């Protein structure tokens, strides 16, 4: 069966899957060795979710989002979060027009398809919370008027995991609004050699077009893919498995906060998207395991004594996955 022409449940209507798979090759023209982060961003777009990117400075978090936007032919804007940033700097505000003697709304950078919230933990909670309505309701309310955001809409927020001076950690309620938390690691030795070789040959990260990055998919492909993902079947056994994994986090002696039902929903929806991306119209336990860490790691809170012993959220989730019975 040819997946590019079949419109059945296991098919690829309009070549949407092939187009989204081509993103990896296109983004690799600008970003080296970050395939898991690329896949995570695509999964988030398919699930209409948002992503928290965590990594030390200089691992191409910003470049990754810009390359994704260019490959998908989507509008993107970047906001550098600082201690003096105001909520209206993100959402927009009413501006007085002396010619008409009326106030008109000036949209902020949140009115875009891909919003890069750079170093989101460097701005106070008041400004951090300005994104809550946009992320959850996909609208911005100013002066009592709700203004819808463009579709698709994704917030990709970055934060530095090693520098905490002058930062404002995101509260658990806001962390829970992110569908996935993706770690962007330092590159391998060979990948780093490739990065330096590209720069020596004249690669300019500010000019993606010169690097050869071209649109390989668009909003229509994304919408077709979302429709196909919604038809991906989930058996009662898989649903019960997701619930059992999430409930086990609430009983873990290493955690003070386990995964909420919203987290269980996130894990199931991302597993469906991953199943479809890999060419299946049904979810298997391995799909759940593949997305468990990025979907759950930011929704749990470690006990202080466990943290002092070197326990991490990832290690707790991996231990739970090893012990929860897998459906046959």
């Amino acid at each position: 069966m040819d997946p590019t022409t079949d419109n059945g449940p296991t098919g690829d209507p309009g070549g949407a899957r092939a187009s989204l798979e081509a993103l990896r090759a296109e983004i690799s023209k600008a970003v080296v060795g970050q395939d898991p982060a690329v896949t995570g961003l695509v999964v988030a777009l398919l699930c209409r979710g948002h992503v928290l990117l965590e990594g030390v400075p200089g691992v191409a978090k910003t470049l990754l989002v810009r390359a994704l936007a260019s490959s998908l032919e989507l509008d993107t804007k970047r906001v550098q979060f600082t201690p003096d940033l105001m909520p209206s700097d993100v959402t927009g505000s009413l501006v007085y027009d002396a010619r008409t003697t009326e106030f008109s709304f000036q949209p902020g950078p949140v009115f875009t398809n891909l919003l890069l919230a750079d170093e989101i933990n460097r701005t106070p909670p008041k400004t951090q919370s300005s994104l809550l309505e946009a992320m959850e309701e996909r609208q911005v309310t100013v002066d009592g008027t709700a203004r819808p955001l463009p579709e698709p809409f994704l917030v990709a927020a970055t934060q530095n995991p090693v520098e905490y001076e002058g930062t404002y950690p995101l509260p658990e309620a806001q962390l829970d609004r992110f569908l996935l938390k993706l770690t962007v690691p330092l590159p391998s030795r060979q990948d780093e050699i490739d990065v330096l070789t590209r720069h020596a040959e004249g690669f300019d990260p500010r000019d993606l077009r010169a690097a050869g990055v071209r649109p390989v998919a668009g909003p229509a492909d994304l919408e077709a893919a979302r429709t196909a993902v919604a038809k991906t079947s989930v058996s009662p056994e898989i649903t019960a498995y997701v619930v059992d994994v999430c409930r086990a986090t609430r009983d873990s002696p290493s955690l003070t906060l386990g995964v909420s039902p919203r987290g269980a929903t996130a894990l199931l929806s991302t597993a469906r998207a991953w199943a479809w991306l890999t060419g299946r119209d049904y979810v298997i336990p391995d799909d759940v395991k593949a997305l468990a860490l990025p979907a759950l790691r930011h929704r749990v809170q470690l006990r202080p004594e466990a943290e002092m012993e070197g326990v991490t959220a990832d290690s707790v989730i991996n231990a739970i996955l090893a012990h929860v019975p897998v459906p046959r």
Side-chain angles (χ1 to χ4, degrees), residues 52-189:
L52 184 62
L53 294 168
E54 187 172 88
V56 298
V59 290
K61 298 187 294 294
T62 301
L63 182 61
L64 176 61
V65 176
R66 289 179 52 236
L68 176 67
S70 296
S71 302
L72 276 172
E73 206 170 14
L74 297 176
D75 183 42
T76 182
K77 290 187 174 65
R78 175 178 179 270
V79 178
Q80 182 66 49
F81 279 72
T82 56
D84 59 347
L85 194 74
M86 299 297 290
S88 59
D89 295 329
V90 178
T91 61
S93 58
L94 295 175
V95 178
Y96 181 72
D97 189 339
R99 292 173 300 177
T100 62
T101 66
E102 294 180 350
F103 284 93
S104 60
F105 178 67
Q106 184 67 35
V110 74
F111 286 86
T112 186
N113 296 125
L114 268 67
L115 176 68
L116 177 61
D118 215 356
E119 295 190 289
I120 191 172
N121 58 335
R122 289 205 171 276
T123 200
K126 177 177 67 174
T127 305
Q128 290 175 359
S129 64
S130 66
L131 283 174
L132 287 176
E133 182 187 14
M135 292 169 67
E136 190 68 19
E137 307 296 336
R138 298 181 180 274
Q139 66 179 26
V140 169
T141 302
V142 177
D143 196 35
T145 302
R147 295 173 171 84
L149 293 171
E151 182 62 37
F153 173 68
L154 178 141
V155 174
T158 71
Q159 65 179 15
N160 182 346
V162 296
E163 187 180 355
Y164 294 105
E165 184 177 351
T167 63
Y168 304 84
L170 291 172
E172 286 74 17
Q174 186 152 356
L175 282 172
D176 203 42
R177 303 296 176 100
F178 287 97
L179 182 72
L180 299 173
K181 179 182 178 181
L182 304 174
T183 57
V184 185
L186 289 165
S188 66
R189 180 176 182 272

Side-chain angles (χ1 to χ4, degrees), residues 231-255:
K231 297 177 181 177
T232 303
S233 64
V234 182
S235 69
E237 292 79 12
I238 293 294
T239 302
Y241 179 55
V242 170
V243 170
D244 290 342
V245 168
C246 293
R247 290 181 69 85
T249 64
R250 302 168 202 166
D251 299 328
S252 171
S254 299
L255 302 176

